C-alpha cells in the first residue's frame, strides 16, 4: 500500500471543511414541471483518458485534454490558475490527437471514431467525419491517430490505422473540411506527421513500419491547385529505427528532421542528403531514455531539444551542430530551394542539461505553452499534470487531474467541494468536483468496494477485498507528525471481503459499522488519534443476516443503523447511551431480491434492491410508505438531500425525484451499461460513476434548464 500527496491539504485550504453538503437547510430554486426532464448536457467529466492527448490553444490561454468518457475538457489559463470552462461532446471512442488552428477559433480532434472540427469559442462541433470500414476515399477506415496543418493552416493532413494519409481543404469561415487526396505508401499505422514551419512544400510521415517518408506536397498548395489531379511524390525514404516511429519534428529551416521511436532513440536526419546524421547521446548511452520516445520539441531557435519517454523522464538537451551534407543537384534540392553546404567542422556532440522524473510509470503525451513556462504531461495511468518550468533545474507541480483505470466502486463527499472516489484498481482519488484538481491519492494493494467519511474526525475509511478496513486522516495533524491521507487505523475482525461501511455523522457517536461477505456486521469505536498506527478490534459483531451484508447506513442524527443483505432482509438497530447497538426490528422480506442500497434522510429510510424497486419507509415501520418504480435493472446507489432523491441503476440511468411526493423530475441517461455509484455534492449538482468514468450533472433547477429537454 502506498500513499502519495500531490498537494498539501489543510483545514484552511478547503472552504467550509467539516460542512455536510447533503443535510443543510432546504434551498430555493427547485423546479416544478409538467413533464419529465432529460439531462442532455453534463457539467463536466472527472477523470483523464489513458494516454490522453494534451494541447494548449495557439495563444496559450486555454488547454484541452480527453476525459475518461472521451469528452474533451477545456480549461482556461490565468497565470498559474486553471478553471474548467466546459467540455466538448462528440467522440464515442478513444481520442488520439488534438490540434488547434492558428486563428484560435477551431481545433481538430482525431479519434477511434473519426475526425471532429470544434468551434472552441462556442464550444460545439462544426464538422464530423466518421471512420468508414468500407474504405471509401473520403473517410478513413479505422482509428485516426494524428494530424498536421499545412500551407498556413489551409490544409489538414491526417494519418490513420488504415495506413493512409488524407488531405483536406479547410474553410476557416465555417470550419468545414473538404476531401482532397489520398496518399499511400506506408505499410503500417501512420502515427505521426509534420511539416516545417518554413514555407518549404515538404512533409514527413512515419509509423509502425519504422520508415520515415519525405513527400513533395507542393501540388496540394491552394495557391497552386488548378483543378487537375494532385500528384504527390516520395522524395526520400529514411530507414534506421528498429521500432515504431512515434514523433517527428523539422527544424525551423526545414533542412533537418528529428525522429523519436519505440527503440528508445532520437535520430537526426539531413533532409537534403537524405541520410542519418547521428543518434542523440549515442556517445553516452546511459543518458538515453529507457523507454519509447513519446515527445520531442525544439525551442530556443532550435538550440534546445525537449524529449519525454515511457520511462517517465523529461529531458532537455543542448544540441550540437547539425551539418548539411553536400550533394549533387536533385529534385529535393530544387524543392527546398536552399544552398547546400559542406559539412563544417563545428562540434556536433549533444549534451543533456536536465532530466526530471515527471511521472512514476511513463509520459505518453506532452505539450508546452506558447506563452508561459507551463508544461502539460499525461501518462497511461489516467493522470495529467501541469508543471511550471520557469526554473529549468527544478520543475514545480501546479495541478494534477486523474481518473481510474477500472470501475469506480464508491463516491463520498469529504467536505464542501472535495470528493473521494474509490475503484476496483485499489486507488482512492481525492479531488474537487468544481476545479477537478486532485489533492492526493491513496493506493491500496487490493480492490476497494466501499468508503465512508467522518467530518468531525476528518477520517476517511476504506474497505474491500483484503478483509480489513483502513482509516486515513485527510488533514495534516502537526502535533502527531501526521500528513494528509496518512493511514492511522486498521480495523480488523472480518473473515471475508468488506462490501459496505458507514461512519456516524454525529461527533457524539464516534462509531463505524461495516458489512461483509462473512454475513456479519462489525461495530468499531473511533479511537483518539496518536502518533502510532493502531489496530482496532470491533466492540460488537452482529449476525442477524443469513447472507452477505451488502449495505449499511447510519441515520442523519447517528441514532439508528440500517443494514440490508442478500437474504432480502432489512435490520434496524438503535444506538443506546453506552454507544452500543441494539436490534430494534427485522423486516425479513423487505424486497423481492438482494438489497443493494440504503440511505436515510431526516424523516425516512430508503432502500433499493435487485428487484429494480426503491422503497420508502418511515423509520421503525415494517411496511413501506411508498414503492418507487422506473428503473429497468437493479438499484446500485441512493443519495438524498432535503430536496431531491437520486437513485442509480444497472440500467445506466439515474432518476431524480422530489422528496415531497417522490414524483420523477428528471432522467440522466448514459451510454454505459451500469452506474456504479452516485452522490449529491452540492445544492446544485451531483456526480455519478459509470464503469470508470465520473460525470458531474446539474440538479433540475430552473437556472439549469439549458442542460435539459422535456419529454415530447
Amino acid at each position: 500500500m502506498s500513499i502519495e500527496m500531490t498537494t498539501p491539504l489543510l483545514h484552511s485550504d478547503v472552504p467550509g471543511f467539516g460542512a455536510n453538503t447533503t443535510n443543510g437547510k432546504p434551498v430555493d430554486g427547485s423546479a416544478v414541471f409538467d413533464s419529465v426532464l432529460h439531462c442532455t448536457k453534463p457539467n463536466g467529466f472527472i477523470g483523464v483518458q489513458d494516454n490522453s492527448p494534451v494541447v494548449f490553444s495557439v495563444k496559450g490561454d486555454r488547454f484541452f485534454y480527453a476525459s475518461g468518457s472521451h469528452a474533451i475538457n477545456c480549461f482556461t489559463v490565468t497565470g498559474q490558475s486553471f478553471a474548467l470552462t466546459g467540455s466538448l461532446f462528440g467522440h464515442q471512442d478513444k481520442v488520439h490527437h488534438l490540434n488547434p488552428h492558428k486563428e484560435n477559433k477551431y481545433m481538430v480532434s482525431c479519434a477511434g471514431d473519426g475526425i471532429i472540427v470544434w468551434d472552441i469559442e462556442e464550444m460545439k462541433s462544426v464538422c464530423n467525419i466518421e471512420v468508414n470500414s468500407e474504405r471509401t476515399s473520403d473517410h478513413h477506415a479505422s482509428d485516426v491517430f494524428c494530424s498536421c496543418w499545412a500551407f498556413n493552416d489551409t490544409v489538414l493532413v491526417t494519418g490513420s490505422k488504415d495506413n493512409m494519409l488524407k488531405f483536406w481543404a479547410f474553410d476557416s469561415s465555417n470550419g468545414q473540411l473538404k476531401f482532397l487526396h489520398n496518399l499511400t505508401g506506408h505499410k503500417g499505422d501512420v502515427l505521426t506527421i509534420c511539416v516545417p514551419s518554413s514555407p518549404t512544400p515538404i512533409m514527413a510521415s512515419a509509423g509502425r513500419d519504422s520508415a520515415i517518408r519525405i513527400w513533395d506536397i507542393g501540388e496540394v498548395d491552394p495557391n497552386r491547385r488548378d483543378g487537375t489531379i494532385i500528384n504527390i511524390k516520395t522524395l526520400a525514404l529514411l530507414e534506421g529505427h528498429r521500432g515504431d516511429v512515434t514523433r517527428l519534428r523539422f527544424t525551423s529551416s526545414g533542412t533537418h528532421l528529428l525522429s523519436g521511436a519505440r527503440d528508445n532513440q532520437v535520430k537526426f536526419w539531413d533532409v537534403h542528403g537524405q541520410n542519418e546524421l547521428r543518434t542523440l547521446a549515442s556517445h553516452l548511452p546511459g543518458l538515453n531514455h529507457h523507454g519509447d520516445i513519446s515527445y520531442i520539441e525544439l525551442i530556443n531557435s532550435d538550440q534546445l531539444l525537449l524529449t519525454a519517454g515511457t520511462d517517465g523522464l523529461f529531458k532537455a538537451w543542448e544540441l550540437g551542430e547539425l551539418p548539411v551534407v553536400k550533394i549533387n543537384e536533385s529534385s529535393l534540392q530544387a524543392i527546398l530551394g536552399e544552398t547546400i553546404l559542406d559539412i563544417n567542422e563545428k562540434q556536433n556532440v549533444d549534451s543533456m542539461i536536465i532530466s526530471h522524473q515527471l511521472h512514476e510509470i511513463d509520459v505518453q503525451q506532452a505539450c508546452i505553452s506558447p506563452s508561459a513556462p507551463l508544461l502539460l504531461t499525461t501518462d497511461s495511468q489516467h493522470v495529467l499534470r501541469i508543471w511550471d518550468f520557469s526554473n529549468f533545474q527544478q520543475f514545480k507541480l501546479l495541478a494534477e487531474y486523474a481518473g481510474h483505470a477500472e470501475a469506480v466502486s464508491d463516491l463520498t463527499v469529504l467536505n464542501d467541494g472535495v470528493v473521494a472516489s474509490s475503484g476496483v484498481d485499489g486507488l482512492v482519488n481525492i479531488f474537487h468536483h468544481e476545479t477537478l484538481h486532485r489533492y492526493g491519492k491513496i493506493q491500496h494493494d487490493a480492490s476497494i468496494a466501499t468508503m465512508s467519511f467522518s467530518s468531525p474526525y476528518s477520517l476517511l475509511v476504506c474497505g474491500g477485498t483484503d478483509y480489513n478496513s483502513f482509516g486515513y486522516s485527510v488533514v495534516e495533524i502537526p502535533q502527531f507528525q501526521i500528513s494528509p491521507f496518512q493511514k492511522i487505523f486498521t480495523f480488523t475482525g472480518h473473515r471475508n471481503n468488506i462490501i459496505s461501511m458507514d461512519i456516524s455523522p454525529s461527533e457524539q457517536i464516534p462509531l463505524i459499522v461495516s458489512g461483509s461477505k462473512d454475513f456479519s456486521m462489525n461495530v468499531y469505536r473511533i479511537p483518539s488519534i496518536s502518533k502510532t498506527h493502531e489496530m482496532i478490534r470491533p466492540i460488537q459483531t452482529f449476525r442477524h443476516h443469513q447472507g452477505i451484508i451488502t449495505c449499511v447506513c447510519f441515520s442523519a442524527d447517528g441514532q439508528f443503523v440500517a443494514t440490508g443483505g442478500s437474504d432480502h432482509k432489512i435490520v434496524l438497530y438503535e444506538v443506546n447511551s453506552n454507544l452500543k447497538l441494539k436490534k430494534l426490528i427485522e423486516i425479513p422480506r423487505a424486497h423481492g431480491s438482494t438489497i443493494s442500497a440504503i440511505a436515510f434522510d431526516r424523516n425516512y429510510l430508503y432502500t433499493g434492491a435487485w428487484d429494480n424497486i426503491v422503497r420508502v419507509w418511515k423509520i421503525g415501520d415494517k411496511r413501506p410508505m411508498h414503492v418507487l418504480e422506473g428503473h429497468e435493472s437493479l438499484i446500485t446507489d441512493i443519495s438524498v438531500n432535503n430536496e431531491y432523491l437520486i437513485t442509480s441503476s444497472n440500467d445506466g440511468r439515474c432518476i431524480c425525484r422530489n422528496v415531497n411526493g417522490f414524483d420523477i423530475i428528471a432522467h440522466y441517461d448514459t451510454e454505459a451499461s451500469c452506474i456504479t455509484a452516485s452522490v449529491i455534492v452540492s445544492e446544485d449538482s451531483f456526480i455519478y460513476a459509470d464503469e470508470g468514468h465520473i460525470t458531474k450533472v446539474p440538479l433540475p433547477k430552473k437556472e439549469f434548464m439549458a442542460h435539459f429537454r422535456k419529454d415530447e
Side-chain angles (χ1 to χ4, degrees), residues 361-626:
I361 304 297
D362 53 28
V363 175
Q364 290 288 348
Q365 306 261 5
C367 183
I368 58 172
S369 168
S371 59
L374 296 175
L375 169 70
L376 303 173
T377 57
T378 63
D379 64 20
S380 61
Q381 306 299 304
H382 303 262
V383 176
L384 180 150
R385 290 173 177 165
I386 307 178
W387 305 88
D388 171 11
F389 63 91
S390 54
N391 180 351
F392 220 46
Q393 298 302 317
Q394 186 173 1
F395 285 22
K396 178 182 177 183
L397 180 61
L398 299 178
E400 180 175 86
Y401 308 90
H404 289 272
E406 298 183 62
V408 176
S409 57
D410 205 0
L411 298 164
T412 188
V413 176
L414 304 192
N415 45 50
D416 189 16
V418 178
V419 177
S421 63
S422 63
V424 176
D425 54 7
L427 178 66
V428 177
N429 283 328
I430 315 295
F431 62 91
H432 196 285
H433 74 83
E434 291 184 349
T435 67
L436 310 192
H437 177 202
R438 183 167 78 171
Y439 288 106
K441 69 177 184 179
I442 300 167
Q443 182 65 60
H444 282 258
D445 295 328
S447 295
I448 301 169
T450 180
M451 297 184 298
S452 187
F453 175 70
S454 168
S455 179
Y457 291 90
S458 301
L459 180 69
L460 178 66
V461 182
C462 310
T465 59
D466 48 10
Y467 300 7
N468 293 328
S469 303
F470 302 96
Y472 300 87
S473 173
V474 300
V475 295
E476 183 179 26
I477 308 176
Q479 63 267 36
F480 296 125
Q481 292 83 52
I482 292 175
S483 303
F485 318 122
Q486 180 175 328
K487 184 173 70 173
I488 54 178
F489 302 127
T490 296
F491 300 93
T492 65
H494 283 297
R495 297 181 179 181
N496 208 323
N497 297 358
I498 297 168
I499 304 300
S500 56
M501 66 170 43
D502 199 18
I503 306 178
S504 166
S506 170
E507 188 172 5
Q508 286 70 46
I509 304 176
L511 298 178
I512 299 173
V513 292
S514 59
S516 170
K517 280 188 175 181
D518 62 11
F519 298 7
S520 71
M521 178 183 73
N522 284 343
V523 183
Y524 304 89
R525 184 160 184 170
I526 301 173
S528 300
I529 296 174
S530 64
K531 290 184 180 180
T532 59
H533 172 262
E534 293 190 53
M535 306 289 287
I536 312 298
R537 297 287 302 171
I539 60 173
Q540 289 178 286
T541 298
F542 295 97
R543 293 185 174 86
H544 293 124
H545 285 276
Q546 287 73 52
I548 298 169
I549 299 179
T550 53
C551 43
V552 297
C553 187
F554 274 97
S555 61
D557 58 6
Q559 294 294 323
F560 299 96
V561 173
T563 63
S566 61
D567 56 1
H568 312 180
K569 182 192 295 186
I570 295 172
V571 182
L572 185 67
Y573 302 85
E574 184 177 22
V575 181
N576 64 26
S577 58
N578 296 322
L579 298 180
K580 295 293 183 68
L581 269 62
K582 177 183 178 181
K583 187 181 75 169
L584 285 181
I585 61 170
E586 289 187 9
I587 308 174
R589 292 178 294 277
H591 280 267
S593 189
T594 297
I595 297 168
S596 47
I598 286 185
F600 281 94
D601 66 8
R602 297 185 185 278
N603 302 307
Y604 303 115
L605 170 68
Y606 303 88
T607 60
W610 288 15
D611 57 11
N612 311 347
I613 288 173
V614 175
R615 297 182 187 269
V616 184
W617 313 76
K618 186 175 180 181
I619 298 172
D621 284 358
K622 291 190 175 183
R623 291 185 177 275
M625 298 175 58
H626 301 277

Side-chain angles (χ1 to χ4, degrees), residues 49-361:
Q49 176 188 283
D50 63 308
N51 306 341
S52 170
V54 284
V55 71
F56 281 98
S57 62
V58 173
K59 294 181 179 179
D61 56 345
R62 286 171 288 180
F63 70 84
F64 302 84
Y65 68 90
S67 74
S69 60
H70 313 309
I72 299 168
N73 283 347
C74 173
F75 280 70
T76 56
V77 179
T78 307
Q80 294 188 348
S81 298
F82 318 103
L84 177 68
T85 54
S87 299
L88 300 169
F89 314 104
H91 285 298
Q92 303 299 320
D93 207 337
K94 189 170 185 177
V95 181
H96 299 296
H97 191 243
L98 300 173
N99 194 354
H101 188 262
K102 68 169 187 174
E103 293 181 2
N104 215 40
K105 177 178 173 60
Y106 297 107
M107 181 178 71
V108 169
S109 59
C110 302
D113 55 2
I115 305 163
I116 297 181
V117 181
W118 305 93
D119 183 329
I120 56 176
E121 291 182 352
E122 298 187 15
M123 295 297 288
K124 65 179 184 180
S125 63
V126 293
C127 180
N128 188 349
I129 301 173
E130 298 179 350
V131 298
N132 187 332
S133 59
E134 296 181 0
R135 292 182 176 267
T136 58
S137 62
D138 55 350
H139 290 260
H140 280 293
S142 190
D143 293 52
V144 185
F145 286 128
C146 54
S147 70
C148 181
W149 293 108
F151 300 108
N152 202 26
D153 287 17
T154 59
V155 172
L156 181 74
V157 191
T158 55
S160 169
K161 189 176 182 179
D162 61 11
N163 308 352
M164 300 281 291
L165 290 153
K166 291 184 184 289
F167 291 78
W168 313 82
F170 180 70
D171 187 344
S172 60
S173 67
N174 56 20
Q176 297 301 301
L177 292 173
K178 179 182 178 182
F179 173 74
L180 290 175
H181 186 69
N182 276 324
L183 184 58
T184 61
H186 283 287
K187 298 177 182 179
D189 307 355
V190 180
L191 301 178
T192 179
I193 316 167
C194 74
V195 299
S197 56
S198 65
T200 309
I202 61 172
M203 179 184 78
S205 62
R208 294 201 191 280
D209 59 7
S210 304
I212 303 168
R213 293 180 180 271
I214 309 295
W215 310 87
D216 172 9
I217 60 171
E219 291 194 13
V220 186
D221 186 343
N223 296 321
R224 293 173 56 183
R225 288 202 302 267
D226 55 7
T228 59
I229 296 176
I230 294 172
N231 183 23
I232 295 177
K233 300 176 182 178
T234 301
L235 297 174
L237 179 64
L238 307 178
E239 296 180 304
H241 280 294
R242 292 173 294 173
D244 305 350
V245 179
T246 56
R247 296 292 183 269
L248 296 171
R249 186 70 66 222
F250 277 104
T251 57
S252 54
S253 65
T255 57
H256 296 89
L257 179 71
L258 282 71
S259 61
R262 291 195 171 121
D263 57 7
N264 308 350
Q265 294 183 339
V266 175
K267 290 184 179 292
F268 299 82
W269 307 87
D270 174 16
V271 178
H272 295 80
Q274 307 176 28
N275 70 313
E276 179 184 339
L277 293 175
R278 64 178 182 270
T279 299
L280 181 68
S282 58
H283 61 297
L284 292 171
L287 298 182
N288 284 326
H289 285 281
H290 301 291
D292 306 349
I293 305 301
S294 57
Y295 174 73
I296 55 176
E297 185 62 79
L298 290 164
I299 61 172
N300 285 21
S301 302
D302 298 347
Q303 297 179 56
L304 289 180
L305 170 66
L306 307 179
T307 63
T310 57
D311 53 4
L313 292 172
F314 185 91
K315 297 174 180 282
W317 309 80
E318 185 175 4
L319 295 186
E321 191 68 30
L322 292 175
V324 179
V325 178
K326 186 174 183 179
I327 60 172
N328 295 325
E329 184 73 18
S330 68
S331 59
L332 179 58
Q333 181 182 355
I335 290 169
L336 290 169
E338 298 282 348
T339 301
I340 306 304
L341 305 175
D342 291 317
I343 297 177
N344 57 45
E345 300 299 324
K346 292 184 179 180
Q347 183 73 18
N348 65 350
V349 176
D350 312 305
S351 59
M352 187 182 73
I353 56 177
I354 64 161
S355 180
H356 297 307
Q357 188 82 41
L358 298 189
H359 287 259
E360 295 77 11
I361 304 297

